[in-house]
Coordinates of all heavy atoms in Angstrom, one line a residue:
M6 N 32.3 9.5 -40.3 CA 33.3 8.4 -40.1 C 33.1 7.3 -41.2 O 31.9 7.0 -41.4 CB 33.2 7.9 -38.7 CG 34.2 6.8 -38.3 SD 34.1 6.4 -36.6 CE 35.7 6.6 -36.1
K7 N 34.1 6.8 -41.7 CA 34.0 5.8 -42.7 C 34.0 4.4 -42.1 O 34.5 4.2 -41.0 CB 35.2 5.8 -43.7 CG 35.4 7.0 -44.5 CD 36.7 6.9 -45.3 CE 37.0 8.2 -45.9 NZ 38.3 8.1 -46.6
V8 N 33.3 3.5 -42.7 CA 33.3 2.1 -42.2 C 34.7 1.6 -42.1 O 35.0 0.9 -41.1 CB 32.4 1.2 -43.1 CG1 32.5 -0.2 -42.8 CG2 31.0 1.6 -43.1
S9 N 35.5 1.9 -43.0 CA 36.9 1.3 -43.0 C 37.7 1.8 -41.7 O 38.7 1.2 -41.3 CB 37.7 1.7 -44.2 OG 37.7 3.1 -44.4
D10 N 37.3 3.0 -41.2 CA 37.9 3.5 -40.0 C 37.7 2.6 -38.8 O 38.5 2.6 -37.8 CB 37.4 4.9 -39.6 CG 37.8 5.9 -40.6 OD1 38.8 5.7 -41.3 OD2 37.1 7.0 -40.6
F11 N 36.7 1.7 -38.8 CA 36.4 0.8 -37.7 C 37.3 -0.4 -37.7 O 37.6 -1.0 -36.7 CB 35.0 0.4 -37.7 CG 34.0 1.4 -37.2 CD1 33.3 2.2 -38.0 CD2 33.8 1.5 -35.8 CE1 32.5 3.2 -37.6 CE2 32.9 2.5 -35.3 CZ 32.3 3.3 -36.2
F12 N 37.7 -0.9 -38.9 CA 38.4 -2.1 -39.0 C 39.8 -2.0 -38.3 O 40.5 -1.1 -38.5 CB 38.6 -2.6 -40.5 CG 37.3 -2.9 -41.1 CD1 36.8 -2.2 -42.2 CD2 36.6 -4.0 -40.6 CE1 35.6 -2.5 -42.8 CE2 35.4 -4.3 -41.2 CZ 34.9 -3.6 -42.3
G13 N 40.1 -3.0 -37.5 CA 41.3 -3.0 -36.7 C 41.3 -2.2 -35.4 O 42.2 -2.2 -34.6
R14 N 40.2 -1.4 -35.2 CA 40.1 -0.6 -34.0 C 39.9 -1.5 -32.8 O 39.2 -2.4 -32.8 CB 38.9 0.3 -34.1 CG 38.8 1.4 -33.0 CD 37.9 2.4 -33.3 NE 38.4 3.1 -34.5 CZ 38.4 4.4 -34.7 NH1 38.0 5.2 -33.7 NH2 38.8 5.0 -35.8
R15 N 40.7 -1.2 -31.7 CA 40.7 -2.0 -30.5 C 39.4 -1.7 -29.8 O 38.8 -0.6 -29.8 CB 41.8 -1.6 -29.6 CG 43.2 -2.0 -30.2 CD 43.4 -3.5 -30.1 NE 44.7 -3.8 -30.7 CZ 45.0 -5.1 -31.0 NH1 44.2 -6.0 -30.7 NH2 46.1 -5.3 -31.6
V16 N 38.9 -2.8 -29.1 CA 37.6 -2.7 -28.4 C 37.8 -3.0 -26.9 O 38.5 -3.9 -26.5 CB 36.6 -3.8 -29.0 CG1 35.3 -3.7 -28.2 CG2 36.4 -3.6 -30.5
L17 N 37.2 -2.1 -26.1 CA 37.3 -2.3 -24.6 C 35.9 -2.5 -24.1 O 34.9 -1.9 -24.6 CB 37.9 -1.0 -24.0 CG 39.2 -0.5 -24.5 CD1 39.6 0.8 -23.8 CD2 40.3 -1.6 -24.2
D18 N 35.8 -3.3 -23.0 CA 34.5 -3.5 -22.4 C 34.3 -2.4 -21.4 O 35.1 -1.5 -21.3 CB 34.3 -4.9 -21.8 CG 35.2 -5.1 -20.5 OD1 35.9 -4.2 -20.1 OD2 35.1 -6.2 -19.9
K19 N 33.2 -2.4 -20.7 CA 32.8 -1.2 -19.8 C 33.8 -1.1 -18.6 O 33.8 -0.1 -18.0 CB 31.4 -1.3 -19.4 CG 31.0 -2.4 -18.4 CD 29.6 -2.2 -18.0 CE 29.2 -3.1 -16.8 NZ 27.8 -2.9 -16.5
K20 N 34.6 -2.1 -18.4 CA 35.5 -2.1 -17.3 C 36.9 -1.8 -17.8 O 37.9 -1.9 -17.1 CB 35.6 -3.4 -16.5 CG 34.3 -3.6 -15.7 CD 34.4 -4.8 -14.8 CE 33.3 -5.0 -13.9 NZ 33.4 -6.1 -13.0
A21 N 37.0 -1.3 -19.1 CA 38.2 -1.0 -19.8 C 39.2 -2.2 -20.0 O 40.4 -2.0 -20.2 CB 39.0 0.1 -19.0
N22 N 38.6 -3.4 -20.0 CA 39.4 -4.6 -20.4 C 39.4 -4.7 -21.9 O 38.3 -4.6 -22.5 CB 38.8 -5.8 -19.7 CG 38.8 -5.8 -18.2 OD1 39.9 -5.5 -17.6 ND2 37.7 -6.1 -17.6
E23 N 40.6 -4.9 -22.5 CA 40.6 -5.1 -23.9 C 40.0 -6.4 -24.3 O 40.4 -7.5 -23.8 CB 42.0 -5.0 -24.4 CG 42.1 -4.9 -25.9 CD 43.4 -4.5 -26.5 OE1 44.1 -3.8 -25.9 OE2 43.7 -5.0 -27.6
I24 N 39.1 -6.4 -25.3 CA 38.4 -7.6 -25.8 C 39.0 -8.1 -27.0 O 39.3 -9.3 -27.2 CB 36.9 -7.3 -26.0 CG1 36.2 -6.9 -24.7 CG2 36.2 -8.5 -26.7 CD1 34.8 -6.5 -24.9
G25 N 39.4 -7.2 -27.9 CA 39.9 -7.6 -29.2 C 39.9 -6.4 -30.2 O 40.0 -5.3 -29.8
K26 N 39.6 -6.7 -31.4 CA 39.6 -5.7 -32.4 C 38.5 -6.0 -33.4 O 38.1 -7.1 -33.6 CB 40.9 -5.5 -33.1 CG 41.4 -6.6 -33.9 CD 42.7 -6.4 -34.6 CE 43.2 -7.6 -35.3 NZ 44.5 -7.4 -35.9
V27 N 38.0 -4.9 -34.1 CA 36.9 -5.0 -35.1 C 37.5 -5.7 -36.3 O 38.5 -5.2 -36.9 CB 36.3 -3.6 -35.4 CG1 35.2 -3.8 -36.5 CG2 35.7 -3.0 -34.1
V28 N 36.8 -6.8 -36.8 CA 37.3 -7.4 -38.0 C 36.2 -7.5 -39.1 O 36.6 -7.7 -40.3 CB 37.8 -8.9 -37.7 CG1 39.0 -8.9 -36.8 CG2 36.7 -9.7 -37.1
D29 N 35.0 -7.2 -38.7 CA 33.9 -7.3 -39.8 C 32.7 -6.5 -39.3 O 32.6 -6.2 -38.1 CB 33.5 -8.7 -40.1 CG 33.0 -8.9 -41.5 OD1 32.8 -7.9 -42.2 OD2 32.9 -10.1 -41.9
M30 N 31.8 -6.3 -40.2 CA 30.5 -5.6 -39.9 C 29.4 -6.2 -40.6 O 29.6 -6.8 -41.7 CB 30.6 -4.1 -40.2 CG 31.5 -3.3 -39.5 SD 31.4 -1.6 -39.9 CE 32.5 -0.9 -38.8
V31 N 28.2 -6.1 -40.0 CA 27.0 -6.6 -40.7 C 26.2 -5.3 -40.9 O 25.9 -4.5 -40.0 CB 26.2 -7.5 -39.8 CG1 24.9 -7.9 -40.5 CG2 27.0 -8.8 -39.4
I32 N 25.8 -5.1 -42.2 CA 25.1 -3.8 -42.6 C 23.8 -4.2 -43.3 O 23.7 -5.3 -43.8 CB 26.0 -2.9 -43.4 CG1 26.3 -3.6 -44.7 CG2 27.2 -2.5 -42.7 CD1 27.0 -2.7 -45.8
K33 N 22.9 -3.2 -43.3 CA 21.7 -3.3 -44.1 C 21.9 -2.2 -45.2 O 21.8 -1.0 -45.0 CB 20.5 -2.9 -43.3 CG 20.1 -3.9 -42.3 CD 18.8 -3.6 -41.6 CE 18.3 -4.6 -40.6 NZ 17.1 -4.3 -40.0
P34 N 22.3 -2.7 -46.4 CA 22.6 -1.7 -47.4 C 21.5 -0.8 -47.9 O 21.7 0.4 -48.1 CB 23.0 -2.6 -48.6 CG 23.1 -4.0 -48.1 CD 22.4 -4.1 -46.8
K35 N 20.3 -1.3 -47.9 CA 19.2 -0.5 -48.3 C 18.9 0.7 -47.3 O 18.6 1.8 -47.7 CB 17.9 -1.3 -48.5 CG 17.9 -2.2 -49.7 CD 16.6 -2.9 -49.9 CE 16.7 -3.8 -51.1 NZ 15.5 -4.6 -51.3
E36 N 19.1 0.4 -46.0 CA 18.9 1.4 -45.0 C 20.1 2.2 -44.8 O 20.1 3.3 -44.2 CB 18.4 0.8 -43.7 CG 17.0 0.2 -43.8 CD 17.0 -1.3 -44.3 OE1 18.1 -1.8 -44.6 OE2 15.9 -1.8 -44.4
G37 N 21.3 1.7 -45.2 CA 22.6 2.3 -44.9 C 23.0 2.4 -43.5 O 23.6 3.4 -43.0
I38 N 22.7 1.3 -42.7 CA 23.0 1.3 -41.3 C 23.8 0.0 -41.0 O 23.7 -1.0 -41.6 CB 21.8 1.3 -40.4 CG1 20.8 0.2 -40.7 CG2 21.0 2.7 -40.6 CD1 19.7 0.1 -39.7
I39 N 24.7 0.2 -40.0 CA 25.4 -0.9 -39.4 C 24.5 -1.6 -38.3 O 24.1 -0.9 -37.4 CB 26.7 -0.4 -38.8 CG1 27.6 0.2 -39.8 CG2 27.5 -1.6 -38.1 CD1 28.8 1.0 -39.3
T40 N 24.3 -2.9 -38.4 CA 23.5 -3.5 -37.4 C 24.3 -4.2 -36.3 O 23.9 -4.2 -35.2 CB 22.6 -4.6 -38.0 OG1 23.4 -5.6 -38.7 CG2 21.6 -4.0 -39.0
S41 N 25.5 -4.7 -36.7 CA 26.4 -5.3 -35.7 C 27.8 -5.3 -36.2 O 28.1 -5.0 -37.4 CB 25.9 -6.7 -35.3 OG 26.0 -7.5 -36.4
M42 N 28.7 -5.5 -35.3 CA 30.2 -5.6 -35.6 C 30.7 -6.9 -35.0 O 30.2 -7.4 -34.0 CB 30.9 -4.5 -35.0 CG 30.6 -3.1 -35.5 SD 31.6 -1.9 -34.8 CE 30.8 -0.4 -35.4
I43 N 31.7 -7.5 -35.7 CA 32.3 -8.7 -35.3 C 33.7 -8.3 -34.7 O 34.5 -7.7 -35.3 CB 32.5 -9.7 -36.4 CG1 31.2 -9.9 -37.2 CG2 33.1 -11.0 -35.9 CD1 30.0 -10.4 -36.4
I44 N 33.9 -8.8 -33.4 CA 35.1 -8.6 -32.7 C 35.9 -9.8 -32.6 O 35.4 -10.9 -32.2 CB 34.8 -8.1 -31.3 CG1 33.8 -6.9 -31.3 CG2 36.1 -7.7 -30.5 CD1 34.2 -5.7 -32.0
S45 N 37.2 -9.8 -33.1 CA 38.1 -11.0 -32.9 C 38.8 -10.8 -31.6 O 39.4 -9.8 -31.3 CB 39.1 -11.0 -34.1 OG 40.0 -12.0 -33.9
T46 N 38.8 -11.9 -30.8 CA 39.5 -11.9 -29.5 C 40.9 -12.3 -29.6 O 41.7 -12.2 -28.6 CB 38.8 -12.8 -28.5 OG1 38.8 -14.1 -29.0 CG2 37.3 -12.4 -28.3
S47 N 41.4 -12.7 -30.8 CA 42.8 -13.1 -31.0 C 43.2 -12.9 -32.4 O 42.4 -13.0 -33.3 CB 42.9 -14.6 -30.6 OG 44.2 -15.0 -30.8
D48 N 44.5 -12.8 -32.6 CA 45.0 -12.7 -34.0 C 45.4 -14.0 -34.6 O 45.6 -14.1 -35.8 CB 46.3 -11.8 -34.0 CG 46.0 -10.4 -33.7 OD1 44.9 -9.9 -34.0 OD2 46.9 -9.7 -33.1
F49 N 45.3 -15.1 -33.8 CA 45.7 -16.4 -34.2 C 44.5 -17.2 -34.6 O 43.5 -17.2 -33.9 CB 46.5 -17.1 -33.1 CG 47.8 -16.3 -32.7 CD1 47.8 -15.7 -31.5 CD2 48.8 -16.2 -33.5 CE1 48.9 -14.9 -31.1 CE2 50.0 -15.5 -33.2 CZ 50.0 -14.8 -31.9
G50 N 44.6 -17.9 -35.7 CA 43.5 -18.7 -36.2 C 43.0 -19.8 -35.3 O 41.9 -20.1 -35.2
L51 N 44.0 -20.5 -34.6 CA 43.6 -21.6 -33.8 C 42.8 -21.2 -32.5 O 41.9 -21.9 -32.0 CB 44.8 -22.5 -33.4 CG 45.5 -23.1 -34.5 CD1 46.8 -23.8 -34.0 CD2 44.6 -24.1 -35.2
T52 N 43.2 -20.1 -32.0 CA 42.6 -19.7 -30.7 C 41.6 -18.5 -30.9 O 41.0 -18.0 -30.0 CB 43.6 -19.2 -29.7 OG1 44.4 -18.1 -30.3 CG2 44.5 -20.3 -29.3
R53 N 41.3 -18.2 -32.2 CA 40.5 -17.1 -32.5 C 39.0 -17.4 -32.1 O 38.5 -18.4 -32.4 CB 40.5 -16.7 -34.0 CG 39.7 -15.5 -34.4 CD 39.9 -15.2 -35.8 NE 38.9 -14.3 -36.2 CZ 38.9 -13.6 -37.4 NH1 39.9 -13.8 -38.2 NH2 38.0 -12.8 -37.7
K54 N 38.4 -16.4 -31.5 CA 37.0 -16.5 -31.1 C 36.4 -15.1 -31.5 O 36.9 -14.1 -31.1 CB 36.9 -16.7 -29.6 CG 35.6 -16.9 -29.1 CD 35.6 -17.2 -27.6 CE 34.3 -17.3 -27.0 NZ 34.4 -17.5 -25.5
D55 N 35.3 -15.2 -32.2 CA 34.7 -14.0 -32.6 C 33.4 -13.7 -31.8 O 32.7 -14.7 -31.5 CB 34.2 -14.1 -34.1 CG 35.4 -14.0 -35.1 OD1 36.5 -13.6 -34.6 OD2 35.2 -14.4 -36.2
L56 N 33.3 -12.5 -31.4 CA 32.1 -12.1 -30.6 C 31.4 -11.0 -31.5 O 32.0 -10.2 -32.1 CB 32.5 -11.5 -29.3 CG 33.3 -12.4 -28.4 CD1 33.8 -11.6 -27.2 CD2 32.5 -13.5 -27.9
E57 N 30.0 -11.0 -31.4 CA 29.2 -10.0 -32.1 C 28.7 -9.0 -31.2 O 28.1 -9.4 -30.1 CB 28.1 -10.8 -32.9 CG 27.3 -9.8 -33.8 CD 26.4 -10.6 -34.7 OE1 26.2 -11.8 -34.6 OE2 25.7 -9.9 -35.5
I58 N 28.8 -7.8 -31.5 CA 28.1 -6.7 -30.7 C 27.1 -6.0 -31.6 O 27.3 -5.9 -32.8 CB 29.2 -5.7 -30.2 CG1 29.9 -5.0 -31.3 CG2 30.1 -6.4 -29.2 CD1 30.7 -3.8 -30.8
V59 N 26.1 -5.5 -31.0 CA 25.1 -4.7 -31.7 C 25.5 -3.2 -31.4 O 26.2 -2.9 -30.5 CB 23.7 -5.0 -31.3 CG1 23.3 -6.4 -31.8 CG2 23.4 -4.8 -29.9
T60 N 24.9 -2.3 -32.2 CA 25.3 -0.9 -32.1 C 24.9 -0.4 -30.7 O 25.5 0.5 -30.2 CB 24.7 -0.1 -33.2 OG1 23.3 -0.3 -33.3 CG2 25.3 -0.4 -34.6
A61 N 23.8 -1.0 -30.1 CA 23.4 -0.5 -28.8 C 24.4 -0.8 -27.7 O 24.4 -0.2 -26.7 CB 22.1 -1.2 -28.4
D62 N 25.4 -1.7 -28.0 CA 26.4 -2.1 -27.0 C 27.5 -1.0 -27.0 O 28.4 -1.1 -26.1 CB 27.0 -3.4 -27.4 CG 26.1 -4.6 -27.2 OD1 25.1 -4.5 -26.4 OD2 26.3 -5.6 -27.9
I63 N 27.6 -0.1 -28.0 CA 28.7 0.8 -28.1 C 28.4 2.1 -27.3 O 27.3 2.7 -27.4 CB 28.9 1.2 -29.6 CG1 29.2 0.0 -30.4 CG2 30.0 2.3 -29.7 CD1 29.2 0.2 -31.9
E64 N 29.3 2.4 -26.4 CA 29.2 3.6 -25.5 C 29.8 4.8 -26.1 O 29.3 5.9 -26.1 CB 29.8 3.3 -24.1 CG 29.7 4.4 -23.1 CD 28.3 4.6 -22.7 OE1 27.5 3.7 -22.6 OE2 27.9 5.8 -22.3
E65 N 31.0 4.5 -26.7 CA 31.8 5.7 -27.2 C 32.8 5.2 -28.3 O 33.3 4.1 -28.2 CB 32.6 6.3 -26.1 CG 33.4 7.5 -26.4 CD 34.1 8.1 -25.2 OE1 33.6 8.0 -24.1 OE2 35.2 8.7 -25.5
V66 N 33.0 6.0 -29.3 CA 33.9 5.7 -30.4 C 35.0 6.8 -30.4 O 34.7 8.0 -30.5 CB 33.2 5.7 -31.8 CG1 34.3 5.4 -32.8 CG2 32.1 4.6 -31.8
G67 N 36.2 6.4 -30.2 CA 37.3 7.3 -30.2 C 38.5 6.6 -30.7 O 38.4 5.8 -31.7
D68 N 39.6 6.7 -30.0 CA 40.8 5.9 -30.3 C 40.5 4.4 -30.1 O 41.0 3.5 -30.8 CB 42.0 6.2 -29.5 CG 42.6 7.6 -29.8 OD1 42.3 8.1 -31.0 OD2 43.2 8.2 -29.0
Y69 N 39.6 4.1 -29.2 CA 39.1 2.8 -28.9 C 37.6 2.8 -29.1 O 36.9 3.8 -29.0 CB 39.4 2.3 -27.5 CG 40.8 2.1 -27.2 CD1 41.6 3.2 -26.7 CD2 41.4 0.9 -27.4 CE1 43.0 3.0 -26.5 CE2 42.8 0.7 -27.1 CZ 43.5 1.8 -26.6 OH 44.9 1.6 -26.4
L70 N 37.0 1.6 -29.3 CA 35.6 1.4 -29.3 C 35.2 0.9 -27.9 O 35.7 -0.2 -27.5 CB 35.2 0.4 -30.4 CG 33.8 0.2 -30.7 CD1 33.3 1.5 -31.5 CD2 33.6 -1.0 -31.6
I71 N 34.5 1.7 -27.2 CA 34.2 1.4 -25.8 C 32.8 0.9 -25.7 O 31.9 1.6 -26.1 CB 34.5 2.6 -24.9 CG1 35.9 3.1 -25.0 CG2 34.1 2.3 -23.4 CD1 36.3 4.4 -24.3
L72 N 32.6 -0.2 -25.0 CA 31.3 -0.8 -24.9 C 30.7 -0.5 -23.6 O 31.4 -0.2 -22.6 CB 31.4 -2.3 -25.1 CG 32.1 -2.8 -26.4 CD1 32.1 -4.3 -26.4 CD2 31.4 -2.2 -27.6
N73 N 29.4 -0.7 -23.5 CA 28.6 -0.5 -22.2 C 28.3 -1.9 -21.6 O 27.4 -1.9 -20.8 CB 27.4 0.4 -22.4 CG 26.5 -0.2 -23.5 OD1 26.5 -1.3 -23.8 ND2 25.6 0.7 -24.0
V74 N 28.9 -2.9 -22.1 CA 28.7 -4.3 -21.5 C 30.1 -4.9 -21.2 O 31.1 -4.4 -21.7 CB 28.0 -5.2 -22.5 CG1 26.6 -4.7 -22.8 CG2 28.7 -5.3 -23.9
E75 N 30.1 -6.0 -20.4 CA 31.3 -6.7 -20.1 C 31.6 -7.8 -21.0 O 30.7 -8.3 -21.7 CB 31.2 -7.2 -18.7 CG 31.2 -6.1 -17.6 CD 31.2 -6.7 -16.2 OE1 31.9 -7.8 -16.0 OE2 30.6 -6.1 -15.3
K76 N 32.8 -8.2 -21.1 CA 33.2 -9.3 -22.0 C 32.5 -10.6 -21.7 O 32.0 -11.3 -22.6 CB 34.7 -9.5 -21.9 CG 35.2 -10.6 -22.9 CD 36.7 -10.8 -22.8 CE 37.2 -11.9 -23.7 NZ 38.6 -12.0 -23.7
A77 N 32.3 -10.8 -20.4 CA 31.6 -12.1 -20.0 C 30.2 -12.1 -20.6 O 29.7 -13.2 -21.0 CB 31.5 -12.1 -18.5
E78 N 29.5 -11.0 -20.6 CA 28.1 -10.9 -21.2 C 28.1 -11.2 -22.7 O 27.3 -12.0 -23.2 CB 27.5 -9.6 -20.9 CG 26.0 -9.5 -21.4 CD 25.4 -8.2 -21.2 OE1 25.8 -7.4 -20.3 OE2 24.4 -7.9 -21.9
L79 N 29.1 -10.7 -23.4 CA 29.2 -11.0 -24.8 C 29.5 -12.5 -25.1 O 29.0 -13.1 -26.0 CB 30.4 -10.1 -25.4 CG 30.1 -8.6 -25.4 CD1 31.4 -7.9 -25.9 CD2 28.9 -8.3 -26.2
E80 N 30.4 -13.1 -24.2 CA 30.7 -14.5 -24.4 C 29.4 -15.3 -24.1 O 29.2 -16.4 -24.7 CB 31.8 -14.9 -23.5 CG 33.1 -14.3 -23.9 CD 34.3 -14.5 -23.0 OE1 34.0 -14.8 -21.8 OE2 35.4 -14.4 -23.4
T81 N 28.6 -14.9 -23.1 CA 27.4 -15.6 -22.8 C 26.4 -15.6 -24.0 O 25.8 -16.6 -24.3 CB 26.7 -15.0 -21.5 OG1 27.6 -15.2 -20.4 CG2 25.4 -15.7 -21.2
R82 N 26.3 -14.4 -24.6 CA 25.4 -14.2 -25.8 C 25.9 -15.1 -26.9 O 25.1 -15.8 -27.6 CB 25.5 -12.8 -26.3 CG 24.7 -11.8 -25.5 CD 24.7 -10.5 -26.2 NE 24.6 -9.4 -25.4 CZ 24.9 -8.1 -25.7 NH1 25.2 -7.9 -27.0 NH2 24.8 -7.1 -24.9
A83 N 27.2 -15.2 -27.1 CA 27.8 -16.0 -28.2 C 27.5 -17.5 -28.0 O 27.1 -18.2 -28.9 CB 29.3 -15.8 -28.3
Q84 N 27.6 -17.9 -26.7 CA 27.3 -19.3 -26.4 C 25.9 -19.6 -26.6 O 25.5 -20.6 -27.1 CB 27.7 -19.6 -25.0 CG 27.6 -21.1 -24.6 CD 28.0 -21.3 -23.1 OE1 28.3 -20.4 -22.4 NE2 28.1 -22.6 -22.8
S85 N 25.0 -18.7 -26.2 CA 23.6 -18.9 -26.3 C 23.2 -18.9 -27.8 O 22.4 -19.8 -28.2 CB 22.8 -17.7 -25.7 OG 21.4 -17.8 -25.9
N86 N 23.8 -18.1 -28.6 CA 23.5 -18.1 -30.1 C 24.0 -19.4 -30.7 O 23.3 -19.9 -31.6 CB 24.1 -16.9 -30.8 CG 23.5 -15.6 -30.4 OD1 22.3 -15.6 -30.0 ND2 24.2 -14.5 -30.6
T87 N 25.1 -19.9 -30.3 CA 25.6 -21.2 -30.8 C 24.7 -22.3 -30.5 O 24.4 -23.1 -31.3 CB 27.0 -21.5 -30.2 OG1 27.9 -20.4 -30.6 CG2 27.6 -22.8 -30.7
E88 N 24.2 -22.3 -29.3 CA 23.2 -23.4 -28.9 C 21.9 -23.3 -29.6 O 21.4 -24.3 -30.1 CB 22.9 -23.3 -27.4 CG 24.1 -23.7 -26.5 CD 24.0 -23.4 -25.0 OE1 22.9 -22.9 -24.6 OE2 24.9 -23.6 -24.3
K89 N 21.4 -22.0 -29.9 CA 20.2 -21.9 -30.7 C 20.4 -22.3 -32.1 O 19.6 -23.0 -32.7 CB 19.8 -20.4 -30.7 CG 19.2 -19.9 -29.4 CD 18.9 -18.4 -29.5 CE 18.5 -17.9 -28.1 NZ 18.3 -16.4 -28.2
E90 N 21.6 -22.1 -32.7 CA 21.9 -22.5 -34.0 C 22.0 -24.0 -34.1 O 21.5 -24.6 -35.1 CB 23.2 -21.9 -34.5 CG 23.5 -22.1 -36.0 CD 22.5 -21.5 -36.9 OE1 21.9 -20.5 -36.6 OE2 22.3 -22.1 -38.0
K91 N 22.5 -24.7 -33.1 CA 22.6 -26.1 -33.1 C 21.1 -26.7 -33.1 O 20.9 -27.7 -33.7 CB 23.3 -26.6 -31.8 CG 24.8 -26.5 -31.9 CD 25.5 -27.0 -30.7 CE 27.0 -26.8 -30.7 NZ 27.6 -27.2 -29.5
V92 N 20.2 -26.1 -32.3 CA 18.9 -26.6 -32.3 C 18.2 -26.4 -33.6 O 17.5 -27.3 -34.1 CB 18.1 -25.8 -31.2 CG1 16.6 -26.0 -31.3 CG2 18.6 -26.1 -29.8
R93 N 18.5 -25.3 -34.3 CA 17.9 -25.1 -35.6 C 18.4 -26.1 -36.6 O 17.7 -26.6 -37.4 CB 18.3 -23.7 -36.2 CG 17.5 -22.6 -35.6 CD 17.8 -21.2 -36.3 NE 17.5 -20.2 -35.3 CZ 18.4 -19.2 -35.0 NH1 19.6 -19.1 -35.6 NH2 18.0 -18.3 -34.2
L94 N 19.7 -26.5 -36.5 CA 20.2 -27.5 -37.4 C 19.6 -28.8 -37.1 O 19.4 -29.6 -38.0 CB 21.8 -27.5 -37.3 CG 22.5 -26.3 -37.8 CD1 24.0 -26.4 -37.5 CD2 22.3 -26.2 -39.3
D95 N 19.4 -29.2 -35.9 CA 18.8 -30.4 -35.5 C 17.4 -30.5 -36.0 O 16.9 -31.6 -36.5 CB 18.8 -30.6 -34.0 CG 20.2 -30.9 -33.4 OD1 21.1 -31.3 -34.2 OD2 20.4 -30.8 -32.2
I96 N 16.6 -29.4 -36.0 CA 15.3 -29.4 -36.5 C 15.2 -29.6 -38.0 O 14.3 -30.3 -38.5 CB 14.6 -28.1 -36.1 CG1 14.4 -28.0 -34.6 CG2 13.2 -27.9 -36.8 CD1 13.9 -26.6 -34.1
R97 N 16.2 -29.1 -38.7 CA 16.2 -29.2 -40.1 C 16.5 -30.7 -40.6 O 16.2 -31.0 -41.7 CB 17.2 -28.3 -40.7 CG 16.9 -26.8 -40.6 CD 17.9 -25.9 -41.1 NE 17.7 -24.6 -40.8 CZ 18.6 -23.6 -40.8 NH1 19.8 -23.9 -41.3 NH2 18.2 -22.4 -40.5
K98 N 17.1 -31.5 -39.8 CA 17.5 -32.8 -40.2 C 16.3 -33.7 -40.3 O 15.3 -33.8 -40.1 CB 18.5 -33.4 -39.2 CG 19.8 -32.8 -39.3 CD 20.8 -33.4 -38.3 CE 22.1 -32.8 -38.3 NZ 23.0 -33.3 -37.4

């Protein structure tokens, strides 16, 4: 499967709720592996919220990318990462 095959692919959580679509990937070029994918929850810039999933979150790849986690858990992770980043920025000041 090509990396480009993932872009635009719809993503469902483990309860089959649509989360969004794949818009970007984080890769390790030297190892040739995908470490995570960025999921956009909206097509609109003002309400767009991106969530990051790691490859361990993927249950199945077919017409949809099906995850083994719920959307709420991904949102909690995103909020936690944002708070950690704010702390890092405060420390650097």
Side-chain angles (χ1 to χ4, degrees):
M6 183 173 234
K7 297 178 190 177
V8 170
S9 60
D10 292 340
F11 283 97
F12 294 117
R14 188 165 298 227
R15 296 284 177 195
V16 181
L17 305 177
D18 72 0
K19 73 178 189 177
K20 291 186 174 182
N22 296 314
E23 188 168 332
I24 296 174
K26 63 182 179 181
V27 177
V28 293
D29 208 351
M30 293 185 176
V31 179
I32 61 170
K33 290 185 177 181
K35 288 184 180 180
E36 292 86 359
I38 60 171
I39 298 167
T40 59
S41 62
M42 294 183 189
I43 309 301
I44 309 301
S45 174
T46 60
S47 174
D48 291 331
F49 302 107
L51 296 175
T52 59
R53 183 174 166 169
K54 182 176 176 184
D55 291 341
L56 301 172
E57 185 172 4
I58 60 167
V59 294
T60 53
D62 293 335
I63 300 170
E64 182 70 31
E65 185 177 330
V66 177
D68 290 338
Y69 292 91
L70 193 69
I71 301 173
L72 306 180
N73 57 20
V74 295
E75 292 184 35
K76 182 178 180 180
E78 182 180 337
L79 294 175
E80 290 173 339
T81 301
R82 284 189 213 166
Q84 184 178 9
S85 175
N86 289 340
T87 301
E88 290 170 3
K89 287 178 187 176
E90 189 61 33
K91 285 180 185 176
V92 170
R93 283 189 206 127
L94 292 174
D95 289 341
I96 292 172
R97 293 178 189 163
K98 288 182 181 180

